[in-house]
Amino acid sequence: MSLRIISADDRLREAQGKTTMALFGPSGAGKTTLLKTLPPAETLCIDLEAGLKSVQDWPGDSIPIRRFADAVDIACLIGGANPAAQPEEHFSEAHHTHLRAQHPELAEKIDTKRIIFVDSITDLTRQAMAWAKNRPEALSERTGKPDTRGAYGLLAREVIGLLKHLQHAPGRTVIFVGILEKVVDDMNRVTWQPQMDGGKVARELPGIVDQVLTMSLFTQDPGASPDATATWRHDPDKGNARRLVCQSGNPFGLPAKDRSGRLDMTEPPDLGALLTKINQPRKG
């Protein structure tokens, strides 16, 4: 039996050593450049979109991934074995043991990384869709022809399973990066939504992670002090300063959530500083 009681002190130590985060922003907003604000020796970038040209001088390690099956294997090495998984399933003890035996140097390298930067979850869902279309579950049992609904259902199950596995990775901070798209409806109302294949993944992701952040452009009111939160005006088209929106119910209508309760409405675009703020010991 693996059941055990976790003391308050143990729970606090674990919470201070890891978090999970979804970071969204429009294409070209500079999300990938936030890698430069993380400690390179402790950070591993999972590069799903061949998009590291903007940080080619970043001295950290990265793993390029072009197939969903490879993403599943890397997630297994990062998160370890899931004791609830059956031997033939992804993330099982058998799967994990096989991967460590096949790729011992890669496994040892991954073991040294405390922060996992997944860039991007948008491309992860695209790779998953390409994989799902070729699976038997995506073919109609009656006609044998492609079944789009079956493919989307398989995509959602597999991607959500991968995200939850990384969520439980012991001692790891995992940052999922994704594209945010502007949607204008027939009434000319503007909303901002994560860009992903499969709506179920986009709906469930905020419930999986601890923090949801949106990077956007802001303009500061003249004469205000640089650290005055209330003076930042959302200006997504002409703003001259990047900020991270961190709280739900924000006046900008952007996706955000702060489970730590320690972040301001907006924060500077520095993930290292943000993680320090999230993980700082509570007073009293």
Side-chain angles (χ1 to χ4, degrees), residues 231-249:
T231 67
W232 289 105
R233 177 166 46 86
H234 189 216
D235 192 358
D237 297 319
K238 299 180 181 179
N240 55 17
R242 295 186 304 163
R243 302 282 294 180
L244 295 173
V245 180
C246 307
Q247 293 183 8
S248 60

Side-chain angles (χ1 to χ4, degrees), residues 4-232:
R4 63 189 180 96
I5 293 177
I6 300 176
S7 70
D9 289 341
D10 289 342
R11 192 167 59 248
L12 181 61
R13 278 193 295 270
E14 182 177 349
Q16 290 176 348
K18 62 170 290 182
T19 191
T20 50
M21 181 183 297
L23 168 64
F24 296 108
S27 296
K31 301 180 295 297
T32 303
T33 62
L34 293 181
L35 263 176
K36 294 184 176 182
T37 68
L38 295 169
E42 301 176 34
T43 303
L44 175 66
C45 177
I46 307 301
D47 177 18
L48 291 136
E49 61 178 19
L52 297 187
K53 187 173 181 60
S54 62
V55 291
Q56 55 188 335
D57 57 341
W58 179 65
D61 295 324
S62 64
I63 299 177
I65 293 179
R66 301 294 171 264
R67 301 188 313 145
F68 182 68
D70 293 335
V72 170
D73 287 346
I74 293 298
C76 187
L77 287 173
I78 292 170
N82 177 2
Q86 297 300 310
E88 69 279 4
E89 294 178 334
H90 292 158
F91 314 126
S92 66
E93 184 68 47
H95 184 198
H96 185 246
T97 300
H98 170 75
L99 290 174
R100 292 195 70 91
Q102 289 290 107
H103 310 283
E105 294 182 2
L106 176 61
E108 290 177 8
K109 190 70 172 179
I110 289 175
D111 289 345
T112 67
K113 304 301 182 180
R114 181 176 62 87
I115 301 172
I116 309 299
F117 190 88
V118 181
D119 189 14
S120 70
I121 191 174
T122 301
D123 280 88
L124 177 66
T125 59
R126 290 169 181 163
Q127 291 183 12
M129 190 57 177
W131 169 84
K133 286 180 177 179
N134 294 311
R135 301 289 297 174
E137 298 94 321
L139 299 177
S140 170
E141 293 184 358
R142 185 172 60 86
T143 66
K145 295 181 178 180
D147 177 7
T148 302
R149 186 172 61 179
Y152 274 113
L154 181 59
L155 176 153
R157 290 195 301 273
E158 293 296 324
V159 172
I160 290 171
L162 185 152
L163 298 180
K164 288 186 174 180
H165 188 70
L166 290 177
Q167 174 198 19
H168 290 286
R172 313 269 190 173
T173 284
V174 183
I175 302 169
F176 301 106
V177 180
I179 295 174
L180 191 70
E181 62 178 340
K182 182 179 180 179
V183 179
V184 182
D185 66 14
D186 295 337
M187 302 296 291
N188 208 34
R189 292 173 297 194
V190 175
T191 58
W192 297 88
Q193 300 176 3
Q195 186 183 101
M196 297 182 199
D197 280 12
K200 184 176 175 61
V201 178
R203 290 192 300 271
E204 294 205 16
L205 178 61
I208 294 173
V209 298
D210 300 314
Q211 314 291 137
V212 178
L213 311 176
T214 291
M215 175 180 280
S216 193
L217 292 176
F218 286 78
T219 299
Q220 192 170 38
D221 294 337
S225 60
D227 58 349
T229 301
T231 67
W232 289 105

